[in-house]
Amino acid sequence: MMLVRYLSQIGKYFIMLKEIFNKPTKWSVMKQLILKEVDDLIIGSLGIVSFISFFVGGVVAIQTALNLTNPLIPKYLIGFATRQSVVLEFAPTFISIIMAGKMGSFITSSIGTMRVTEQIDALEVMGVNSLNYLIFPKIIALLLYPFVIGLSMFLGVFGGWMAAVYGGFTTSFEFTTGLQTEFIPFHIAYAFIKTIVFALLLATIPSFHGYYMKGGALEVGKASTVSFVWTSVVIILMNFILTQLLLS
């Protein structure tokens, strides 16, 4: 019974994706909606992403340095390990899970509140495709999400450099040598491919839970929690699948 319910929800989600692109809203209106979503979702996330990335990069560098106790192991591995950890996993995947909490809860609660207060019904009565009006601007705004992840990568590595050099664990030259050692450009492409997929999930899964929720104000909070859980689960699953496809 539960399997049938999950399958029906997945089917409903894909039908929703198709409906988003039907009967588009006028560009003059859509332009304002997209700019508002860029401000709320992208610019509003830069502060928390910068803070977390800088300090987690520092922690990765310090923990790597503290585990390199054998004097035969070169110190440049601190830079190498920091780069690999931040670029391959931390920036694209873990920042996306954090954003599932921040962006996802905001998207679900804002659309859920519109559902509860019957604003979505009012849009439908006026002949507006409410799915296109509410969700399409979020998808377009989150096309800028790779910029957020690029900033996260830079600040993660910079935080690692600051912690390693000023903590006295290695020299700037050795850390920089580690950053350049065995650098594979495709790893950057892999990280950004994942990021674009995660951006689509961050825009649509929380929107789905907000749009199709039932009940009152209490259920808005419950829907936000459920959307965070499912967005995180799908991001982790897609991370596994994409890593197998692109790196193995």
Side-chain angles (χ1 to χ4, degrees):
M1 191 68 188
M2 192 171 280
L3 179 64
V4 172
R5 199 173 91 234
Y6 284 145
L7 288 173
S8 75
Q9 289 289 90
I10 291 165
K12 202 174 182 182
Y13 171 75
F14 283 107
I15 291 168
M16 180 196 82
L17 290 183
K18 184 177 80 71
E19 289 296 321
I20 288 168
F21 299 98
N22 288 345
K23 215 169 90 177
T25 308
K26 281 193 301 186
W27 173 244
S28 57
V29 177
M30 183 58 74
K31 186 169 65 176
Q32 296 302 317
L33 294 171
I34 291 169
L35 290 174
K36 183 181 180 302
E37 297 297 350
V38 168
D39 186 43
D40 288 342
L41 302 178
I42 302 297
I43 296 169
S45 301
L46 292 178
I48 186 72
V49 168
S50 301
F51 178 80
I52 292 171
S53 301
F54 182 82
F55 285 102
V56 169
V59 169
V60 168
I62 291 167
Q63 288 191 346
T64 306
L66 292 174
N67 283 293
L68 294 180
T69 51
N70 191 324
L72 297 175
I73 299 174
K75 292 289 185 186
Y76 71 76
L77 284 176
I78 298 169
F80 176 79
T82 303
R83 183 197 77 205
Q84 293 295 88
S85 302
V86 169
V87 170
L88 290 177
E89 278 311 307
F90 169 72
T93 307
F94 291 99
I95 287 292
S96 295
I97 291 170
I98 291 163
M99 288 299 105
K102 187 193 177 296
M103 281 184 197
S105 298
F106 172 77
I107 291 169
T108 304
S109 59
S110 60
I111 295 178
T113 303
M114 289 183 76
R115 172 63 75 191
V116 168
T117 54
E118 298 179 355
Q119 292 177 55
I120 293 175
D121 298 330
L123 285 171
E124 295 287 350
V125 167
M126 289 190 291
V128 175
N129 177 0
S130 57
L131 283 168
N132 178 266
Y133 184 88
L134 294 172
I135 304 172
F136 185 72
K138 293 173 174 55
I139 294 172
I140 299 301
L142 278 164
L143 291 177
L144 292 173
Y145 186 58
F147 166 73
V148 177
I149 297 304
L151 179 70
S152 172
M153 287 178 190
F154 169 76
L155 287 172
V157 171
F158 180 64
W161 176 82
M162 289 278 285
V165 174
Y166 290 99
F169 297 106
T170 185
T171 63
S172 180
F173 175 76
E174 283 181 317
F175 190 90
T176 310
T177 303
L179 289 181
Q180 296 170 343
T181 301
E182 292 182 33
F183 175 67
I184 301 169
F186 181 71
H187 283 173
I188 302 289
Y190 154 79
F192 282 117
I193 290 167
K194 285 204 301 186
T195 299
I196 291 164
V197 173
F198 296 161
L200 181 65
L201 297 175
L202 284 169
T204 54
I205 296 176
S207 298
F208 172 81
H209 285 282
Y211 189 86
Y212 290 108
M213 63 150 288
K214 292 180 174 65
L218 182 65
E219 279 72 22
V220 173
K222 288 180 180 175
S224 296
T225 306
V226 170
S227 90
F228 166 63
V229 171
W230 278 110
T231 308
S232 302
V233 166
V234 176
I235 283 173
I236 290 166
L237 279 174
M238 286 305 298
N239 183 42
F240 177 77
I241 292 165
L242 289 169
T243 303
Q244 285 280 53
L245 288 174
L246 297 172
L247 290 187
S248 62

